[in-house]
Amino acid sequence: MKISLLLILFVIITMLFVDVFSHELYHYYSNKENSEGIYFDNNELTAYTLIEFQNYKERLSYNDEIKNKEEFNANVFGKISSLIYLTMIFIILKK
C-alpha cells in the first residue's frame, strides 16, 4: 500500500515538473534569439524564462496579444508533454 502511494506521488510530482519544464522550454524556443535561459526559483517554487530583447522596438512589438497567445500555446505544450511522459511511464511499467 505504501509503495503504491509513493509511486503515485512520484508520478504526480514528475508530471508537474515535466509540465512546468516543457512550458518554459516552449517560451525559450519561441523567443530563441532573445532567450537567455530557463531558471527555477526554489524559494518561491517558480520557473521562468529570461528573455532580453535586443532593442526597444522589439520589446514594444511583443504586445499583450502575442504574450497571451504564447502563454496559451506554452500551457498546451506543457500539458501534452506531461501526458506523453505519463503514458510512456505506464507503458514501461506495464511490461
Side-chain angles (χ1 to χ4, degrees):
M1 181 71 176
K2 288 182 182 181
I3 301 283
S4 301
L5 291 175
L6 286 175
L7 183 61
I8 290 170
L9 184 62
F10 174 76
V11 168
I12 290 171
I13 290 172
T14 304
M15 275 186 59
L16 288 173
F17 177 78
V18 170
D19 184 4
V20 169
F21 183 73
S22 299
H23 176 103
E24 295 306 326
L25 198 60
Y26 183 90
H27 287 302
Y28 184 85
Y29 278 107
S30 67
N31 299 294
K32 63 183 168 188
E33 62 277 348
N34 298 319
S35 296
E36 291 194 5
I38 297 173
Y39 299 95
F40 294 92
D41 185 353
N42 293 334
N43 295 331
E44 297 183 22
L45 296 175
T46 59
Y48 59 94
T49 302
L50 184 60
I51 299 171
E52 290 289 333
F53 292 99
Q54 302 299 322
N55 56 46
Y56 191 68
K57 185 178 179 182
E58 281 185 29
R59 174 67 185 107
L60 286 177
S61 67
Y62 191 69
N63 60 26
D64 286 339
E65 183 179 333
I66 293 171
K67 280 191 262 185
N68 291 338
K69 188 174 184 180
E70 183 180 321
E71 192 65 27
F72 176 79
N73 290 339
N75 284 333
V76 170
F77 183 73
K79 301 291 184 235
I80 290 172
S81 298
S82 68
L83 286 174
I84 289 171
Y85 187 79
L86 179 65
T87 303
M88 289 176 10
I89 287 175
F90 283 134
I91 288 171
I92 291 170
L93 291 176
K94 192 120 178 150
K95 288 184 177 185

